[in-house]
Amino acid sequence: TLLVPPLTVRGGAEEFWVTNTTTRAANVNDLAHVHEPALVFNTIARFNDGNIYTNAGDVLLAVNPYEEPTRDGESLYSERAMQRYRRAAGDALANVEPHVWRVAGDAYTKMLGDRVSQSVVISGESGSGKTETTKLLLRYFAAASSTRAGDLPSALSPRAAATTTESRM
């Protein structure tokens, strides 16, 4: 658990207080005041609540939990979790919690639907989870490109994903 004491930020004539009563926003753009301390506090508060992902506009912020993240006893990376993001493609993605699969779904939808090339930049310090995040993105793309939403579980096995990917090369 990360703990942050209340912070005071002084800037010009304004003074902002960031306290434990600050609203936890899935997208920091929804905060009343968007500045660095509010962004940091909101991200840490969400992490302490079990939400490792937070949006900052189109950017996904992730805090590496160094363990398998779960919600309600289910892995955030389970087959059922992926199905929820697959079924929420397009405009409905804006209504689901921030997640790496939300980014993947948005990129995949724009690539196929709008026929616009997409890039996903994964950045962070050593040990921040860049490799694991890349694996999750590729897992989503492999499942999305090889199945319909109803057939998703069979496409998630490592053997099925490898076979499908290798057969397309």
Side-chain angles (χ1 to χ4, degrees):
T1 301
L2 301 172
L3 299 174
V4 175
L7 303 170
T8 304
V9 179
R10 299 185 199 307
E14 297 182 78
E15 183 173 302
F16 299 105
W17 288 88
V18 181
T19 67
N20 291 337
T21 60
T22 301
T23 303
R24 288 153 169 79
N27 191 327
V28 296
N29 291 348
D30 296 335
L31 294 173
H33 300 285
V34 179
H35 46 79
E36 185 177 357
L39 184 139
V40 170
F41 179 84
N42 185 70
T43 303
I44 291 171
R46 284 183 49 81
F47 177 82
N48 287 339
D49 291 343
N51 299 303
I52 65 169
Y53 296 113
T54 302
N55 280 80
D58 289 338
V59 175
L60 179 67
L61 307 173
V63 179
N64 189 345
Y66 297 102
E67 60 187 30
E68 181 76 17
T70 60
R71 180 166 293 127
D72 300 326
E74 180 184 358
S75 168
L76 286 183
Y77 309 120
S78 69
E79 297 166 4
R80 285 178 20 154
M82 186 187 289
Q83 285 179 339
R84 283 192 295 274
Y85 285 89
R86 291 265 328 271
R87 290 188 178 121
D91 293 337
L93 274 172
N95 299 321
V96 294
E97 277 289 310
H99 195 288
V100 66
W101 287 337
R102 181 174 165 180
V103 172
D106 188 44
Y108 191 77
T109 299
K110 288 178 180 174
M111 181 181 66
L112 291 182
D114 300 343
R115 297 199 170 278
V116 176
S117 295
Q118 299 294 301
S119 297
V120 177
V121 177
I122 301 171
S123 176
E125 295 182 6
S126 177
S128 62
K130 296 179 300 292
T131 301
E132 293 305 313
T133 299
T134 301
K135 290 177 188 177
L136 291 167
L137 279 166
L138 293 175
R139 184 173 151 204
Y140 183 97
F141 293 146
S145 65
S146 63
T147 65
R148 296 184 314 270
D151 299 333
L152 187 60
S154 63
L156 290 178
S157 72
R159 184 187 234 19
T163 304
T164 304
T165 304
E166 289 171 5
S167 66
R168 293 181 181 189
M169 294 181 161

